[in-house]
Amino acid sequence: MSFTLFLPRDSDTLAIQIQTRRCHRHAPPDNARMNTRWKPSATVAAIIERDGKFLLVEEHTQDGLRLNNPAGHMDQGESPLQACARETLEETAFHFTPGALVGIYMSRFERAIPGQDESLDITYLRFAFRGELGEQVAGQALDEGIVRTLWLTPDEIRACAHLHRSPLLLRCMEDYLVGKTYPLELITTDSSVYGIEVPDTAPASPAI
């Protein structure tokens, strides 16, 4: 077998070099591209079952009253486990200790904004945990927008899918019921998240 290698003429090589230099000169710095890079919204959810029923919250939304797992967004400076415990306490007044990961999920929410060309378009990245439900804090007010907590059976949850705030409510429950569980060690939160200064042991490089 034989082949022929064609090399560009000197003028072609020069043009390529010039074009490459122009691209580098006009390209934004890496950090500038990161500032406009798409990112999902990180959330956590507690999948809590007791005596065959699951703990849900009923909350006000733009679409009326909707059901969801105790769930919410992560705050800066906390791990997914801490966020899940905090959100459960705020929305249900129950203490909750994550014991295992049920799964990591993504879902997308889109809604037209009246009077605007752009629509609301959010992709959620959910860390769902199962664990141990602790004591309820007597007299604690529920988070803003939460109307009440309620316990529903799997069949009751399936029957009211039109009232689910997120499609992940049902998916997480079904995964829980078939026994999906993963060790918490799958999730690592570096100390830098908590604002702890770590001595430099290597040249600085961007986190990936």
Side-chain angles (χ1 to χ4, degrees), residues 22 36 38 46 49 51 59 111 118 123 141 156 167-168 187 199 203:
R22 288 175 178 171
T36 58
W38 173 87
E49 181 264 340
D51 299 329
E59 56 187 332
R111 179 196 296 277
E118 295 184 357
T123 297
E156 289 172 333
L168 297 180
I187 303 174

Side-chain angles (χ1 to χ4, degrees), residues 125-147:
L125 178 66
R126 172 189 274 205
F127 296 83
F129 299 93
R130 60 195 299 162
E132 180 179 350
L133 188 66
E135 295 295 323
Q136 188 172 23
V137 181
Q140 176 172 312
L142 302 183
D143 209 1
E144 183 179 357
I146 304 296
V147 177

Side-chain angles (χ1 to χ4, degrees), residues 42-46 48 55 57 59 68-76 78-96 98 127 129 133 140-144 146 149 165:
T43 64
V44 293
I48 301 170
L55 178 60
V57 297
E59 56 187 332
N68 200 4
N69 309 107
H73 292 80
M74 294 176 58
D75 285 346
Q76 184 176 4
E78 65 181 357
S79 70
L81 279 71
Q82 292 171 330
C84 191
R86 174 185 55 76
E87 285 289 350
T88 303
L89 181 61
E90 291 175 352
E91 295 194 351
T92 71
F94 277 99
H95 289 287
F96 175 72
F127 296 83
F129 299 93
L133 188 66
Q140 176 172 312
L142 302 183
D143 209 1
E144 183 179 357
I146 304 296
T149 61
R165 182 169 187 179

